[in-house]
Amino acid sequence: MNKFKMKSIFMILIMGFILIILGTKSQAADFSKDTGCNNSDTSFKYDVKGYNGNNTAIQITANNKDTAKVIYKYSNLKPREFYSISAYVKVDNIICDSNDYQSGAIIGLEQTPASTEMIKQSTDWKKISYVALSSVDGTLNAKFSLNNSSGTVLFDCIEIKQINEDSDFKVYSYTNGRKKTGRVVFWNDSIKGTGITDEEMKKWLGTLLDIREYLTGLTSVEVDDGNVDIIATNEYGAVAYINWGRTEIQWMKSSVNLDDFHRDFQNSVDTPYFITHEIGHQHTLSQVNFATEFWGTALGLIADYNLNLKISNLGNMTLQKESI
């Protein structure tokens, strides 16, 4: 075999190796689709003309008020990681009760109340994003939904990204000496100009881990091995859940002024009250009712008192929407 052939074979092998590396570096998520609605005359269509003019959009039409959704059941994700789920949405003649803040077109996580903003009436194409945590087995069920409304909604260009690959978001993370981790994800745009520093965020997350550890010792209820994950990007709502054995605290980005948050840090405030309240929820019953709201508050305040923490209302946000 001459030198030219040997060199050619060698180059082919090198290129093949590079392609294998590139192909395995970022493994795509798998998904399956499911649908759900209450009315027999609600319809679902696929391959409808979408944002880019291609026949790729999902269309949901409810002739009468309904809650109808297409569920993307993602698998093959990295376990317990933040993911952004985005889509372009367009609505036509969305009719709902004016005082119903949970109606309209949304992206959300199945079996939780948090979501993007609710798109109503009639709009042109608009990109919306939702952030969620994958489960311990690398799954995540995202819903593209028309909530308690009539009208037509189209979703197109649906995309899922791990947060560290999405330039729209920033994640702060802190691990204490006991191997417990606190994380919080914000919109980049909400952080810009606030003056919040990495050191402030790490100190804050360390405080939340201390609260969790104290409440675990007080109640003998351990959740997610004592870790804390906070999503501060979604429009609704300020709620805490226990899904797949881990804690998730939702922070309504539209209700919290991050300039106030930074000012609190500068004034030696350890944490806003509503975050303490939500951590208290992890050590109460899973259903939401008066008793869990009472004990969420009580446990949070007990932890604040015994850990000698300084807390604030952060713009008078005390129990807004938390009792829902």
Side-chain angles (χ1 to χ4, degrees):
M1 185 179 293
N2 59 40
K3 290 183 178 180
F4 177 78
K5 286 185 176 179
M6 289 182 64
K7 187 175 180 180
S8 298
I9 293 171
F10 179 74
M11 290 301 295
I12 290 170
L13 290 172
I14 292 295
M15 290 300 295
F17 180 74
I18 291 172
L19 289 173
I20 290 172
I21 294 296
L22 291 175
T24 57
K25 184 177 179 181
S26 180
Q27 196 169 12
D30 299 323
F31 73 92
S32 59
K33 293 179 186 176
D34 198 3
T35 59
C37 64
N38 299 314
N39 300 338
S40 60
D41 60 349
T42 294
S43 64
F44 299 87
K45 292 183 180 179
Y46 303 92
D47 302 330
V48 177
K49 186 177 180 180
Y51 172 73
N52 290 321
N54 301 320
N55 295 329
T56 54
I58 296 169
Q59 177 178 297
I60 304 172
T61 299
N63 297 316
N64 298 287
K65 188 182 295 183
D66 197 1
T67 293
K69 56 193 174 184
V70 176
I71 304 166
Y72 273 40
K73 298 181 176 181
Y74 290 104
S75 59
N76 199 30
L77 303 174
K78 291 185 178 180
R80 303 159 83 96
E81 289 294 336
F82 291 118
Y83 282 87
S84 65
I85 303 100
S86 64
Y88 282 86
V89 61
K90 181 179 181 180
V91 299
D92 182 40
N93 197 31
I94 299 298
I95 299 174
C96 55
D97 294 338
S98 59
N99 61 349
D100 187 352
Y101 50 83
Q102 287 185 281
S103 61
I106 64 155
I107 302 174
L109 185 65
E110 184 71 342
Q111 296 182 333
T112 68
S115 74
T116 59
E117 61 184 298
M118 285 70 173
I119 310 297
K120 304 179 182 183
Q121 300 178 342
S122 296
T123 69
D124 201 353
W125 290 104
K126 177 179 182 178
K127 186 177 182 180
I128 58 176
S129 297
Y130 178 82
V131 175
L133 273 167
S134 59
S135 70
V136 293
D137 61 359
T139 60
L140 188 159
N141 293 342
K143 59 184 177 184
F144 302 85
S145 178
L146 178 63
N147 275 12
N148 201 26
S149 307
S150 63
T152 296
V153 56
L154 287 89
F155 294 100
D156 196 21
C157 303
I158 294 171
E159 188 174 26
I160 185 168
K161 287 183 180 179
Q162 194 173 341
I163 284 294
N164 60 11
E165 299 171 352
D166 193 328
S167 60
D168 288 339
F169 303 96
K170 180 174 178 61
V171 177
Y172 295 92
S173 179
Y174 172 76
T175 302
N176 65 18
R178 296 175 294 281
K179 306 298 183 183
K180 309 299 184 183
T181 298
R183 298 183 297 178
V184 58
V185 54
F186 289 97
W187 284 98
N188 267 332
D189 288 346
S190 67
I191 290 292
K192 289 177 182 176
T194 63
I196 292 174
T197 66
D198 289 359
E199 290 73 22
E200 288 173 334
M201 298 302 291
K202 289 177 180 178
K203 181 181 178 183
W204 176 56
L205 292 171
T207 297
L208 302 187
L209 292 173
D210 289 343
I211 294 172
R212 285 297 311 280
E213 184 175 51
Y214 175 82
L215 290 179
T216 296
L218 182 68
T219 63
S220 300
V221 176
E222 178 69 287
V223 182
D224 194 25
D225 298 326
N227 301 321
V228 176
D229 287 308
I230 299 177
I231 296 172
T233 66
N234 299 327
E235 291 286 348
Y236 174 83
V239 289
Y241 352 101
I242 303 172
N243 285 336
W244 306 297
R246 52 95 175 138
T247 300
E248 175 178 329
I249 300 172
Q250 291 281 349
W251 177 336
M252 291 188 296
K253 73 181 183 72
S254 58
S255 298
V256 178
N257 186 321
L258 291 178
D259 289 318
D260 291 341
F261 194 45
H262 177 53
R263 199 172 298 114
D264 274 356
F265 286 148
Q266 292 181 314
N267 292 326
S268 301
V269 170
D270 295 294
T271 185
Y273 159 75
F274 83 98
I275 292 290
T276 301
H277 171 92
E278 299 301 348
I279 292 177
H281 269 309
Q282 309 315 301
H283 300 269
T284 64
L285 299 174
S286 59
Q287 66 266 27
V288 176
N289 53 35
F290 174 80
T292 57
E293 292 303 314
F294 172 81
W295 283 110
T297 297
L299 289 171
L301 293 176
I302 288 169
D304 293 335
Y305 177 80
N306 285 282
L307 294 175
N308 196 29
L309 299 177
K310 183 179 179 182
I311 64 172
S312 74
N313 282 347
L314 194 61
N316 295 320
M317 182 178 178
T318 53
L319 286 173
Q320 289 184 22
K321 296 189 178 179
E322 290 182 7
S323 60
I324 297 161

